[in-house]
Structures are given as C-alpha cells and as structure tokens.
Amino acid sequence: MRAVDLIQKKRDGKTLTEEEINFLLDGYLDKSIPDYQMSAFLMATYFNGMEKDELKTFTGKMMNSGDLIKFDGIDKFLIDKHSTGGVGDKTTIALAGLFASFDIGTAKLSGRGLGHTGGTIDKFESIKGFNFPQTKERMVEVINKTGTGIMGASDKVVPLDKQIYALRDVTGTVMSIPLIASSIMSKKLAVYADGIILDVKVGSGAFMKDLDMARDLAKTMLQIGDSFDRKVVTVLTDMDQPLGLAVGNSLEVIEAIETLKGNGPADFTELVETLVAVALQIKGDAATIEEGKAMVNEMIKSGKPVEMLKEFIGEYGGDPRLVDDYSLLPMAQNMIEFKAENSGYIGKIEAEEVGKSAMVLGAGRATKEDLINHGVGVVLTKKIGDRVEAGEVLAKIYFDEDINLESSIRLLDGAFEIVSDKVEDRNVILEVHSVNI
C-alpha cells in the first residue's frame, strides 16, 4: 500500500477503506508519511469530503491516538458542553453553578484563548488563587464535591489531531466540515461523558459565518456521535453580535455570576437556560426543552446556583466572597464611555471587531506568548434592535494603559452601525438538533 495511491483515490472522489485510512494515519503518526503527502490528502478531503464510514474510522483513529479518559468513581451524570467559540462566551462559568444544582457533573478539558479574549481557563484565572486539578484523581474528587471538573488541555489526549490541525492551518484546509467535525468529536469522545452538548456559534464573530455551513457541521458531528452510540445535542446559536454585554475576562466572570442571580442579559440568560434544559433532557429529568427551562428558572430563583458556584470557587482555591464582592476580582484602573454620534437603531454590532477592541487592550492574545490582563475589556450598553440617541453611551471601555486605547476606540467605531429604521431583535437560539436522546 502506498500513500500516493490513497491520495489519488480520494482526489478522484472514491471511498477509502478502514485499512487504508488507518495506514495513512499510522504512517503520519510514525513519520513514515511526510507532511507534503498528508497535506495532499487533506486537500483532496477538503474538495471531496468523507463518507460516513470513512468519517467514523478517521475520528476513531484520532480519538485512539492518545489517552482515553474515563473518570471512574464519579457519582454524577456527566455532561460535556463544548462551544465552537465566540465573543463574550462565558457560558461555562454560569453552567458550573447550574449543572451542580441539578446534580449534573461536568468533566472537560479546556484551553487558554488565542484571539479576541481569553479562553475558559483564562476567565477562571481571573480569580486569585484559582487552581485547576493536575491529576485525574483530583478531578474526580472535585467533581464529586462541586459537580464541576475542568482541567487544562492535555497533549496526551488526541495528539494526532494536534499534528493534523497544525498542518491544516498552513495548507488552507481548516474550513473543511469533515475535518472540523472529526477534530471536535475526537476530543469529545476521548474524554467520557454521558451526554455531549455542542454549542455551534454562527455569525460574523464565529468560526461558522453562515447558517447553512453551521447546519452541515452540526449534522456531521451528530452523525459521528451516532456512529459511536453517544448522546449528542447540537445547539446552533447566534454570534452576529457579542454574547451578553461583557467582553473581557473578569468582566465576563461578573456577568456570569449576575446571570445566576437572575440579573443577566436576556440573550445570555436564554442561552444558559437552554443549555441546562438540554442537559436535563439528556439526563431524563425533563421531557422537553421548555419544561427544562422552567425548571432552570425556578432553580435560579432559589439562589442555589450561586451557592454552588461559591463552593466550586472555594474548592479550586479561590475566595468565594467575590461572588458578592466584585472588588476581589482584577479591575482596570480606567474607564471611558464610547458614545453614539447619531440617533437611530442599532442595526449591526460586528462581534469580531468588539472582540478585537478588547484584545488590543490586553484581554486576549495575539500570540501564544502574550500575557492576559484579566481586568480590561469592553461592556456594551446596547444590543441589535435597541433605540439610541446621539451622545448616548454604546459601550464602556475598561483599560489600564492608554497605549492601545485609540486602536480600541477605532475598532469599536467600526463595530456599530446605526440605522434609521427599527431592526428586529435577534434570537440567540437558532436551532437545536439531537441524536440518541
């Protein structure tokens, strides 16, 4: 068997066998197949896609290329919620308190952010003293105590995906549905959970820019989940404007806490309630998403999610008092208001530009080596569809040094579009699809 023959076969739109896919991936892992041949195969896949059986074999091979993690000894129903990423996505923080309130556990590997704002780990590291579990045993312990287990991503889990993604990144093959789907699902399947919820962001501030492509990705990931007999739900959500109002690490922590107190922005609250309702449906505690959302609403009113978040923060080494005293979080030294020049309605808020506006202040990383400033960022005061008068505040910019302040303001200026006619408010939940539920 030769790699060139398999490349030609995929180039010509033919289906590879399990043996052929294993030959290619094993060869790439042991370096007997070079980058240039794997690049050619990835490009052929980019144009011709993969059939269901090919995708199962490809994903399974990546999943099994490293450690498989099963957290024995956990006495909770485990949900792994994954987001494809977006601007202002602080969902995991709010879910920590809510999942625990319903005796649902979370076991997931998370990473640091590269781009607009920090990743999940960066947001939690806004909390002084916060330490993530370093061992599997500690992970089990904290999940049983608090319901929430989050560790840093491990190089030992799905190492083949890391190799292939680096190649895709420099060969123009990132935007391939089967390659994206297998990359995400191989990592989700390698760490066991009773149910997987995939929050697929759609819009200008997301990886998936249009709904049709997002549907295709969702369908492909559900197909993979079905191949491995796993309970999977995809929730397509809007990212044509930032999620919620806060963009920046400690600012997003505050907004997530306020949401658990019942004071969150409408769109973020709707997303959080829906994701928890989906988890309750997977677990079998709710027959429908609407029934689950009603349960979530009552739970928030009870105050239990806030108490569970305090317990979680304390167990991870942070000071639980910050839930009621935000001065214990990093805060920027300065704030200026960004105001509207014209009256009208908010017609557009380019999420990516708002994210960049926060990033240049230090809220995100342009390179892996950059340090995060946890206190800086942007807080919007308006959303799409809102009425605004000239001179009214559109956003507040929190910063420490004014070295990049002008760049931040210019980016915000390009993010907002004010129009004369009323624009319809946007629904954050676009579609929900499931398999094996």
Side-chain angles (χ1 to χ4, degrees):
M1 196 179 297
R2 299 188 310 161
V4 65
D5 297 325
L6 305 185
I7 293 166
Q8 289 171 351
K9 187 174 179 180
K10 175 52 69 175
R11 179 202 64 193
D12 296 339
K14 297 176 182 177
T15 302
L16 299 188
T17 66
E18 181 177 354
E19 183 185 12
E20 289 168 336
I21 291 173
N22 286 336
F23 172 81
L24 270 173
L25 295 183
D26 283 336
Y28 190 58
L29 257 182
D30 67 20
K31 302 192 185 317
S32 61
I33 291 178
D35 280 351
Y36 62 81
Q37 285 190 309
M38 182 54 71
S39 298
F41 171 76
L42 294 174
M43 187 60 75
T45 300
Y46 179 89
F47 285 113
N48 292 315
M50 287 188 191
E51 298 296 328
K52 183 177 181 179
D53 288 343
E54 288 180 295
L55 198 53
K56 180 182 179 182
T57 301
F58 192 88
T59 305
K61 192 66 179 178
M62 289 210 296
M63 175 183 77
N64 288 294
S65 66
D67 292 348
L68 299 179
I69 299 178
K70 193 173 191 306
F71 296 102
D72 296 318
I74 292 176
D75 58 7
K76 299 181 186 298
F77 189 88
L78 288 179
I79 291 287
D80 185 350
K81 188 282 300 178
H82 172 80
S83 168
T84 56
V87 180
D89 188 1
K90 72 284 293 179
T91 314
T92 298
I93 304 166
L95 292 183
L98 272 165
F99 277 173
S101 298
F102 287 104
D103 203 31
I104 294 172
T106 299
K108 62 181 292 181
L109 305 181
S110 295
R112 288 181 166 81
L114 182 60
H116 312 135
T117 54
T120 297
I121 283 184
D122 296 302
K123 297 183 206 301
F124 279 119
E125 285 182 344
S126 300
I127 301 170
K128 185 179 179 181
F130 199 96
N131 288 304
F132 290 92
Q134 299 300 309
T135 65
K136 200 162 123 176
E137 292 72 24
R138 175 61 178 157
M139 186 82 150
V140 170
E141 182 184 355
V142 296
I143 292 172
N144 282 331
K145 282 186 178 180
T146 71
T148 305
I150 300 172
M151 291 178 70
S154 169
D155 289 340
K156 294 181 179 179
V157 177
V158 198
L160 183 56
D161 174 66
K162 188 174 183 180
Q163 284 181 235
I164 289 176
Y165 190 89
L167 203 55
R168 288 167 55 205
D169 199 33
V170 296
T171 57
T173 54
V174 169
M175 292 304 291
S176 161
I177 293 298
L179 296 177
I180 296 169
S182 59
S183 174
I184 292 171
M185 290 301 293
S186 62
K187 293 191 282 284
K188 297 297 100 183
L189 295 168
V191 181
Y192 181 79
D194 296 297
I196 300 168
I197 301 174
L198 302 167
D199 178 2
V200 181
K201 303 294 186 190
V202 187
S204 63
F207 194 54
M208 296 288 116
K209 301 299 182 185
D210 66 82
L211 189 55
D212 286 341
M213 194 169 188
R215 282 193 187 115
D216 197 5
L217 175 61
K219 177 183 174 183
T220 306
M221 291 191 294
L222 289 171
Q223 178 180 294
I224 294 171
D226 187 43
S227 294
F228 288 89
D229 197 28
R230 299 291 287 274
K231 293 181 177 181
V232 181
V233 177
T234 57
V235 184
L236 276 58
T237 63
D238 179 60
M239 191 45 72
D240 260 340
Q241 62 179 330
L243 178 60
L245 300 171
V247 181
N249 297 280
S250 65
L251 297 171
E252 292 185 42
V253 171
I254 292 170
E255 185 164 273
I257 295 169
E258 283 298 305
T259 301
L260 292 184
K261 293 178 180 179
N263 306 319
D267 62 336
F268 182 57
T269 299
E270 173 71 10
L271 175 61
V272 168
E273 288 183 352
T274 301
L275 293 176
V276 180
V278 167
L280 290 169
Q281 195 178 25
I282 295 172
K283 187 173 179 238
D285 289 350
T288 65
I289 291 178
E290 288 308 312
E291 180 185 336
K293 286 170 68 175
M295 293 167 65
V296 175
N297 195 262
E298 288 303 310
M299 186 63 79
I300 289 174
K301 289 178 182 176
S302 77
K304 185 176 179 181
V306 175
E307 295 307 311
M308 296 305 294
L309 185 66
K310 285 182 182 178
E311 185 178 338
F312 163 68
I313 291 170
E315 186 63 29
Y316 277 69
D319 187 342
R321 294 177 301 168
L322 69 86
V323 171
D324 300 307
D325 181 2
Y326 299 141
S327 69
L328 295 173
L329 286 164
M331 294 289 173
Q333 297 175 18
N334 308 297
M335 186 275 288
I336 62 167
E337 296 176 335
F338 176 76
K339 299 180 179 180
E341 294 184 1
N342 307 305
S343 298
Y345 295 92
I346 305 296
K348 184 184 290 186
I349 305 176
E350 289 286 353
E352 189 168 349
E353 297 304 294
V354 176
K356 289 177 181 176
S357 175
M359 185 190 78
V360 298
L361 298 172
R365 296 180 180 88
T367 71
K368 290 187 293 185
E369 291 73 30
D370 288 348
L371 296 176
I372 289 279
N373 183 335
H374 291 96
V376 301
V378 174
V379 177
L380 307 180
T381 60
K382 298 289 183 179
K383 299 283 279 188
I384 291 175
D386 288 347
R387 175 72 189 177
V388 61
E389 302 299 330
E392 194 173 357
V393 177
L394 295 176
K396 296 179 180 180
I397 303 173
Y398 293 84
F399 65 102
D400 280 333
E401 299 176 7
D402 61 6
I403 185 168
N404 287 323
L405 182 58
E406 288 303 317
S407 294
S408 180
I409 292 170
R410 279 198 304 273
L411 286 161
L412 267 188
D413 192 41
F416 283 89
E417 180 182 347
I418 298 175
V419 297
S420 56
D421 296 327
K422 169 69 175 171
V423 175
E424 290 299 316
D425 298 341
R426 301 187 69 89
N427 292 323
V428 69
I429 306 296
L430 303 175
E431 296 175 4
V432 179
H433 304 277
S434 64
V435 67
N436 296 325
I437 308 302

